[in-house]
Amino acid sequence: MTIHRSNPSINVQSADKPTTDSELKFAIKNAGCMSCVGKIESALGLVSGVRSAVMDFPSRTVKVKGASDASVLLKTIQAAGYEAALLSNDDLTIRSIEKAPPENHHKAASVPANADLCSQPNSSQEHFFVIEGASCASCVGKIESALHQVPGVTSATMNLAERSVVVSGSVQEKNLVAAIASAGYRAISQNGLSEDEQADERERNEAQQYRRLMIAMAMALGLGIPMMIYGMFIGDMTISNNSERLLWLLMGILTAGVMVFAGQHFYVGAWRSLQNRHASMDTLVALGTGTAWLYSMVVVIFPTLVPELARHVYFEATAMIIGMINLGLALELKARGRTSQAIKRLIGLQVKTARVIRHGKETDILLDEVRINDRVRVRPGEKIPVDGLVTEGSTTVDESMLTGEPMPVEKVQGAIVTGGTINKTGSVLITTTRVGKHTALAQIIAMVKRAQNSKPAIGRLADVISAWFVPAVIIVAIVTAFAWLTYGPEPALALAVVTATTVLIIACPCALGLATPMSVMVGVGKAAEAGVLIRNGEALQTASAITAMILDKTGTITEGKPAVTHICRLSNSSDNQILQWAASLEVHSEHPLALAVVDSAQKHGLPLCGVDDFKAIPGQGVKGMIASQTILLGNDKLMQAHHIDIAEHQATALAMAAESQTPVYLAKDDQLEAILAIADPIKADSAAAIRRLQDKGIRVLMVTGDHDATAQSIARKVGITEFYAEVLPGDKVKKVEALQEQGEIVGMTGDGINDAPALAKADVGFAIGTGTDVAIDSADITLMRGSLHGLVNAIAISQATLRNIKQNLFGAFIYNSLGIPIAAGVLYPLFGLLLNPVIAGAAMAFSSVTVVTNANRLRLFKAQEH
């Protein structure tokens, strides 16, 4: 087994990273206190290349010196929960930094929804609309193009499957509605509606639309089928005498009624498209059925204008095509409804009311009326309505909807509780900390919806093709008609009408437009059910191509709940004295090992000492003054930096490390006092999950700041052959860059603040959802459960979704590649076969149903939990 040991020299510069030191200044828009200053400075200090980061609180600006890329710094500030902009050194005007292109490997980290953002009039917002009148992929391109032309819009993405659009930017809603209207469509705002209200409204609209389509289908087929039977068994549907003219005139009038009542939406859509100088699926249907009906009416009313052999009527084709397409749309709508089951289940976790204590009285009120700092009573068996802190009582809470862990978690005074989880045993009072759209569950729902509406790169291929597809089909239909009129046998005119109509009807871009969004919706929803939250379509697509995965150790491979197992004393100080000194320092630290020391002191009932001049030294440890004595606590680097001799005790430290225990040195006034052994147990399923990654051909690496021997022991136990130990937080980014320089598509998985820059730099960042908010906000994919099987499931779902998208696109392309030539009559010279327009209508309708059905196969995906 090849083991790569501690921190080899890697000095890879990103292509867009400055090679010389520079000073950058950022404006911070929502820092509210001095703790914000420390958080921002700490986050920036972990970025590779940063020499210093100093924030001036009164002016809300921060100066960063070093050789770091501005966009990485900005995203780090955003990941810490603050809105920021780069100030130009010339005139100090704010310059927005847009999201870096994919090739730069930078990810835009979103500001947490509960961050106290400044209320700027031009602050970027998201607007959600349901679109009426959109029928195919060409409509998507028109709507997105119209929205992108509105000043202030930064992004606009439409989901044809949901008939919805998400717009981001600093723009008023009325301008967006006007832009969509100018493109020929109606926008219905979803802003201000709760997720529950949006779901109810969507279900009502879908039910109404489904009923309308079924009635339309019944009307059309009710007329079309008898006409087809007549043509097949009684007459040949030609005009040879006046009595037949009267019969078919009546049929023409009835067919016109079907066109008005059952096919109205096609003709209205086509007219709107014509008014806005573009073409859509409605254009093709309207042209095809309208041509067939108009030709038939000319044959009935003015038969002498048409050659005798061409006096054939096609009323049944018009009625049957409208019926078949309506049936297809109804089936598609029904199948589409199944794709949003994940959202419905998440919304179902929300409660509608909360029992709030105001003015000494307990009152049940609607959830929307609950405010921050309200006191809420939650009784046994009830769902917790909002996020908050337990202020009275104790209980156990079922948090399986978040963590996947079946065992209830004990909650005492001061514990955090999350809305949507279930209170099991005791009655408690909680003080709300987040309400409405800012609760964890609401943010999860919003993230899933946003991801379902996003568009991976592969989906833009369909958009580009669809923009030119309908006009191209109309040209093909005209060329087909001209060819049959010029070279076709008699009745050439009738054959020209039939083939042109068939080309128009069969060439539907619906399947092309639905191919990507349907798969993305089902894939993202299925991922959410498995505890995997995917931020956007880009992450979904890129995750399927990952070739190398970097894993943090603490909290990712291990439980992240270390404990002090024993203390090796090297002086006359007692165990309690050593533990008290260590805990007094560590209580100020955010390092994962710090909590283990503090917990151990608390379990022993040891009071904490006052600490002066506390300082955290990244990658080494902490120091401070206790009772005028300098106390150092950290690794061997910290001891060496302060010239403390540890040579004769390194064997003890190595023995601890060999047992997967982290040795931590404690020194007092330049004298080594003790070595604390801290063990963090490996998660029970880490080895199996890592083996699944390796079975997929993914190169797995472990990167940790822990001691080399500890890292080697952990790596050996979980089957990792390539690891890097004693890596400083800023150097994790270099590891990512080095792998990217080797041509790897890199995933990074971590849970700590020190992982945030590397998560942002990786092609896909995976955050363990049980970790810190900063790590989660820096990542592209969040694993709500602590198991690494979630990581493998995320990649597996991504691969299955991309495979499904490709199948859909291939099917749509093949359908049109074969269908259009056959409809044009390429088989006629060889076999004397022409495609019936009714069959073309059925094929067009069911092509979309096929795509939707194939996408729904993703619902059968089984996530592996162990």
Side-chain angles (χ1 to χ4, degrees):
M1 179 174 67
T2 304
I3 299 286
H4 297 264
R5 293 201 173 88
S6 54
N7 205 16
S9 177
I10 295 179
N11 188 23
V12 179
Q13 293 291 338
S14 166
D16 59 349
K17 185 185 286 297
T19 54
T20 58
D21 276 8
S22 61
E23 181 177 291
L24 299 173
K25 190 173 184 179
F26 297 90
I28 311 297
K29 296 184 181 179
N30 59 311
C33 62
M34 291 307 293
S35 67
C36 298
V37 174
K39 190 175 179 181
I40 292 167
E41 290 179 347
S42 175
L44 288 170
L46 298 175
V47 177
S48 176
V50 170
R51 289 195 298 106
S52 69
V54 180
M55 181 171 176
D56 179 54
F57 183 67
S59 67
R60 302 301 197 273
T61 59
V62 61
K63 288 182 180 179
V64 184
K65 294 180 180 179
S68 291
D69 180 52
S71 61
V72 174
L73 298 174
L74 182 81
K75 290 174 177 60
T76 302
I77 297 171
Q78 290 174 330
Y82 301 90
E83 195 175 68
L86 177 66
L87 295 172
S88 110
N89 291 326
D90 304 326
D91 53 8
L92 294 181
T93 56
I94 296 178
R95 295 188 288 115
S96 295
I97 301 178
E98 301 295 339
K99 182 180 177 182
E103 58 268 20
N104 288 341
H105 307 294
H106 298 307
K107 303 288 179 294
S110 62
V111 179
N114 59 326
D116 183 21
L117 301 179
C118 297
S119 321
Q120 299 293 334
N122 295 322
S123 60
S124 182
Q125 295 178 311
E126 277 192 335
H127 301 271
F128 297 87
F129 300 98
V130 170
I131 306 298
E132 285 189 355
S135 58
C136 66
S138 64
C139 300
V140 173
K142 298 297 180 184
I143 292 169
E144 290 181 348
S145 176
L147 288 170
H148 278 121
Q149 292 173 21
V150 178
V153 170
T154 56
S155 71
T157 306
M158 181 174 174
N159 183 335
L160 180 62
E162 285 279 278
R163 303 302 195 268
S164 64
V165 65
V166 180
V167 186
S168 299
S170 303
V171 61
Q172 292 185 345
E173 184 178 286
K174 63 180 182 180
N175 295 339
L176 300 174
V177 173
I180 294 170
S182 70
Y185 306 91
R186 179 169 176 249
I188 302 172
S189 174
Q190 299 292 290
N191 299 313
L193 296 180
S194 68
E195 296 291 346
D196 210 7
E197 290 170 333
Q198 289 183 36
D200 289 343
E201 183 68 21
R202 187 166 54 248
E203 285 185 3
R204 280 194 297 269
N205 289 338
E206 286 179 355
Q208 183 180 3
Q209 187 180 358
Y210 180 76
R211 285 194 298 270
R212 189 167 61 243
L213 288 170
M214 292 302 289
I215 292 170
M217 179 271 297
M219 286 178 62
L221 295 184
L223 180 64
I225 291 174
M227 282 195 287
M228 283 191 68
I229 293 172
Y230 176 87
M232 292 170 64
F233 301 107
I234 301 173
D236 57 2
M237 302 181 78
T238 58
I239 304 294
S240 58
N241 55 59
N242 287 335
S243 61
E244 288 179 345
R245 286 178 65 191
L246 289 174
L247 172 65
W248 289 114
L249 180 61
L250 176 62
M251 290 297 105
I253 293 171
L254 291 174
T255 303
V258 168
M259 294 168 72
V260 171
F261 293 103
Q264 183 182 33
H265 51 289
F266 298 125
Y267 302 105
V268 171
W271 175 246
R272 286 175 179 166
S273 296
L274 180 63
Q275 287 178 313
N276 290 277
R277 297 181 296 280
H278 69 83
S280 66
M281 180 204 84
D282 290 335
T283 307
L284 298 181
V285 175
L287 278 175
T289 57
T291 299
W293 181 84
L294 188 60
Y295 175 83
S296 300
M297 289 301 288
V298 169
V299 169
V300 171
I301 299 173
F302 307 107
T304 56
L305 296 180
V306 181
E308 188 173 347
L309 291 175
R311 294 174 189 171
H312 195 288
V313 293
Y314 297 100
F315 295 129
E316 95 290 354
T318 298
M320 289 292 289
I321 287 167
I322 291 174
M324 285 293 187
I325 295 174
N326 277 319
L327 175 60
L329 291 174
L331 294 175
E332 175 198 321
L333 182 66
K334 199 74 170 176
R336 277 195 346 234
R338 293 198 296 268
T339 66
S340 56
Q341 289 300 316
I343 287 288
K344 291 177 183 176
R345 275 191 281 270
L346 287 172
I347 292 173
L349 295 172
Q350 295 177 315
V351 296
K352 297 185 184 298
T353 62
R355 178 164 287 249
V356 176
I357 301 176
R358 290 178 180 169
H359 310 298
K361 295 182 179 179
E362 292 189 9
T363 309
D364 288 331
I365 64 174
L366 293 175
L367 197 61
D368 291 342
E369 298 174 7
V370 179
R371 299 290 177 260
I372 291 177
N373 291 326
D374 271 344
R375 298 175 70 216
V376 178
R377 169 79 64 188
V378 186
R379 291 166 293 196
E382 294 180 336
K383 284 184 180 178
I384 295 172
V386 291
D387 298 357
L389 296 174
V390 176
T391 53
E392 186 179 309
S394 62
T395 187
T396 56
V397 174
D398 178 357
E399 295 184 334
S400 58
M401 74 96 173
L402 282 176
T403 65
E405 296 295 332
M407 290 296 293
V409 179
E410 186 178 0
K411 300 290 182 179
V412 295
Q413 189 171 336
I416 297 171
V417 291
T418 305
T421 56
I422 301 173
N423 181 31
K424 298 293 287 186
T425 54
S427 177
V428 292
L429 282 179
I430 64 172
T431 298
T432 60
T433 56
R434 292 191 292 189
V435 297
K437 65 180 181 180
H438 300 311
T439 63
L441 182 57
Q443 291 183 56
I444 289 170
I445 294 171
M447 184 186 293
V448 173
K449 282 190 64 178
R450 197 176 297 115
Q452 287 185 329
N453 277 280
S454 65
K455 192 175 298 180
I458 193 172
R460 298 191 186 102
L461 171 65
D463 290 349
V464 172
I465 293 172
S466 297
W468 298 95
F469 184 80
V470 175
V473 169
I474 295 173
I475 293 171
V476 170
I478 293 171
V479 171
T480 298
F482 179 78
W484 278 94
L485 283 172
T486 306
Y487 305 107
E490 290 299 332
L493 179 59
L495 293 174
V497 170
V498 169
T499 52
T501 298
T502 307
V503 167
L504 290 170
I505 295 301
I506 202 168
C508 174
C510 284
L512 201 58
L514 290 170
T516 299
M518 289 303 305
S519 298
V520 169
M521 283 182 63
V522 182
V524 169
K526 196 66 185 177
E529 290 178 10
V532 176
L533 301 183
I534 300 173
R535 281 188 183 275
N536 52 59
E538 290 293 343
L540 180 68
Q541 179 167 343
T542 307
S544 68
I546 286 174
T547 59
M549 178 63 69
I550 296 176
L551 302 177
D552 176 48
K553 179 181 74 70
T554 305
T556 301
I557 295 175
T558 64
E559 293 285 356
K561 298 175 183 177
V564 177
T565 55
H566 71 275
I567 298 172
C568 176
R569 287 186 287 110
L570 305 174
S571 68
N572 293 327
S573 300
S574 67
D575 287 354
N576 283 350
Q577 180 68 76
I578 290 166
L579 194 55
Q580 186 180 42
W581 285 334
S584 300
L585 282 176
E586 292 287 36
V587 75
H588 301 283
S589 173
E590 293 180 336
H591 193 279
L593 297 182
L595 185 61
V597 177
V598 175
D599 281 349
S600 293
Q602 289 176 343
K603 287 177 182 177
H604 286 79
L606 301 175
L608 301 181
C609 308
V611 178
D612 298 318
D613 300 329
F614 173 82
K615 184 178 181 182
I617 306 168
Q620 296 186 18
V622 294
K623 64 179 293 188
M625 300 290 294
I626 298 177
S628 300
Q629 297 174 312
T630 301
I631 306 295
L632 301 172
L633 184 71
N635 58 19
D636 51 358
K637 290 182 180 179
L638 180 67
M639 299 298 116
Q640 291 164 6
H642 288 79
H643 310 292
I644 295 175
D645 185 15
I646 60 172
E648 63 179 289
H649 303 292
Q650 282 186 319
T652 301
L654 289 172
M656 292 177 179
E659 295 301 318
S660 302
Q661 298 172 332
T662 300
V664 178
Y665 297 93
L666 185 141
K668 181 187 72 173
D669 289 337
D670 300 331
Q671 180 67 39
L672 190 63
E673 292 283 324
I675 305 176
L676 287 75
I678 301 177
D680 182 11
I682 297 171
K683 292 176 182 176
D685 54 5
S686 286
I690 289 168
R691 192 158 52 247
R692 285 180 64 197
L693 280 174
Q694 292 167 338
D695 289 343
K696 285 181 172 291
I698 296 173
R699 177 182 172 189
V700 182
L701 307 88
M702 184 179 75
V703 176
T704 177
D706 210 340
H707 192 277
D708 178 59
T710 303
Q712 180 177 347
S713 174
I714 295 290
R716 184 179 65 251
K717 291 178 180 178
V718 297
I720 293 177
T721 59
E722 191 172 357
F723 73 89
Y724 300 91
E726 301 177 22
V727 177
L728 296 176
D731 288 337
K732 289 186 178 181
V733 175
K734 292 182 179 179
K735 302 296 183 186
V736 174
E737 291 173 345
L739 288 171
Q740 289 170 340
E741 288 292 321
Q742 296 172 22
E744 303 276 12
I745 306 297
V746 182
M748 168 72 197
T749 306
D751 72 325
I753 290 175
N754 61 337
D755 298 318
L759 288 168
K761 183 65 179 174
D763 294 286
V764 184
F766 297 83
I768 301 293
T770 52
T772 66
D773 289 341
V774 176
I776 293 170
D777 292 327
S778 301
D780 301 290
I781 296 175
T782 300
L783 311 177
M784 293 305 294
R785 299 159 190 174
S787 170
L788 280 180
H789 279 298
L791 171 63
V792 196
N793 289 335
I795 294 173
I797 290 171
S798 171
Q799 291 172 339
T801 303
L802 261 291
R803 189 162 54 246
N804 195 271
I805 290 173
K806 290 175 182 177
Q807 290 167 355
N808 284 343
L809 288 173
F810 178 77
F813 282 129
I814 289 297
Y815 165 79
N816 285 300
S817 298
L818 296 177
I820 292 175
I822 292 173
V826 295
L827 298 180
Y828 189 83
L830 295 175
F831 306 104
L833 295 177
L834 281 180
L835 189 63
N836 189 310
V838 175
I839 303 301
M844 184 268 264
F846 287 97
S847 66
S848 298
V849 177
T850 301
V851 165
V852 175
T853 303
N854 186 55
N856 271 300
R857 285 195 311 108
L858 285 171
R859 297 170 65 225
L860 302 176
F861 180 91
K862 298 292 184 184
Q864 185 171 329
E865 298 296 334
H866 51 77

